[in-house]
Amino acid sequence: MIRPEGPQDAPAIATLITEAFLTAAHADGNEAEIVARLRAEGGLLLSLVSEGPNGIQGHIAASPCSVGGQTGWACIAPLAVDPAQQRSGIGTALIGAALAQLSRLSVGGVVIVGDPVYYGRFGFAADPAIFAPDIPPDYVLTRRCASTAAGALRFHAAFGLD
Ligand SMILES: CC(C)(COP(=O)(O)OP(=O)(O)OC[C@H]1O[C@@H](n2cnc3c(N)ncnc32)[C@H](O)[C@@H]1OP(=O)(O)O)[C@@H](O)C(=O)NCCC(=O)NCCS
């Protein structure tokens, strides 16, 4: 079952994110902290959990970002699945649910910083017109909706990338 996070879920979400990113190839170790900061600062466009019989198995967050100064875009990050339950479709289901919800919010487009092979299957691709200083261009992936914006990406301050 995929549902929005509730007030009681914050500790379990933090634990899940920390464990998922422990073995991830590209991790800063501050992913749980970013979600806590987004939550505290009203920066969560969505925060969805996948819940199974033994509790929360996966989590996905999205926050506002801008492209070339145009607001109204969303950044999906982080995405985390319990290491013991990876490769069973939970991440795919969470991305599908997040994209459906963001589409209802009429975002200009969606950004993910991540593996082009994994996210390519969801319609994300590197776009030379959209870039983020200090992030390798191959990993800056976008999926446009209505917006034709171009330029530098600006993420929520919770990511500490300014
Ligand atoms: C990335 C992650 C969210 C995927 O979740 P998941 O539930 O395991 O993914 P799914 O089961 O929906 O999809 C599995 C598919 O994705 C591929 N895949 C999974 N993780 C991958 C990764 N890190 N890189 C490339 N491909 C990956 C698998 O090969 C599999 O492909 P297949 O269906 O053709 O066999 C999960 O591995 C995770 O939490 N990783 C640690 C945190 C992380 O890296 N988050 C993403 C940061 S951008």
Side-chain angles (χ1 to χ4, degrees):
M1 183 184 73
I2 293 180
R3 61 166 175 81
E5 72 163 43
Q8 73 288 358
D9 294 323
I13 290 172
T15 302
L16 172 89
I17 294 172
T18 302
E19 286 175 0
F21 278 92
L22 271 182
T23 52
H26 303 283
D28 293 329
N30 64 346
E31 291 79 9
E33 202 181 305
I34 288 170
V35 171
R37 222 186 127 183
L38 286 169
R39 189 183 291 120
E41 296 178 12
L44 285 170
L45 284 175
L46 60 80
S47 176
L48 304 177
V49 295
S50 165
E51 192 164 39
N54 299 315
I56 290 175
Q57 315 163 302
H59 172 260
I60 192 166
S63 54
C65 65
S66 65
V67 174
Q70 281 195 31
T71 56
W73 281 62
C75 170
I76 288 183
L79 166 64
V81 173
D82 170 11
Q85 300 181 73
Q86 290 178 4
R87 308 217 159 192
S88 58
I90 295 169
T92 299
L94 281 166
I95 292 172
L99 289 175
Q101 193 162 323
L102 291 172
S103 160
R104 288 194 292 274
L105 293 175
S106 299
V107 297
V110 184
V111 179
I112 291 187
V113 176
D115 186 323
V117 175
Y118 181 61
Y119 292 110
R121 71 185 72 187
F122 306 105
F124 287 89
D127 179 343
I130 300 178
F131 53 89
D134 302 329
I135 303 179
D138 289 353
Y139 291 87
V140 179
L141 311 174
T142 55
R143 203 179 109 131
R144 285 181 189 275
C145 301
S147 171
T148 56
L153 269 163
R154 190 132 191 230
F155 300 96
H156 191 282
F159 289 91
L161 292 170
D162 283 335

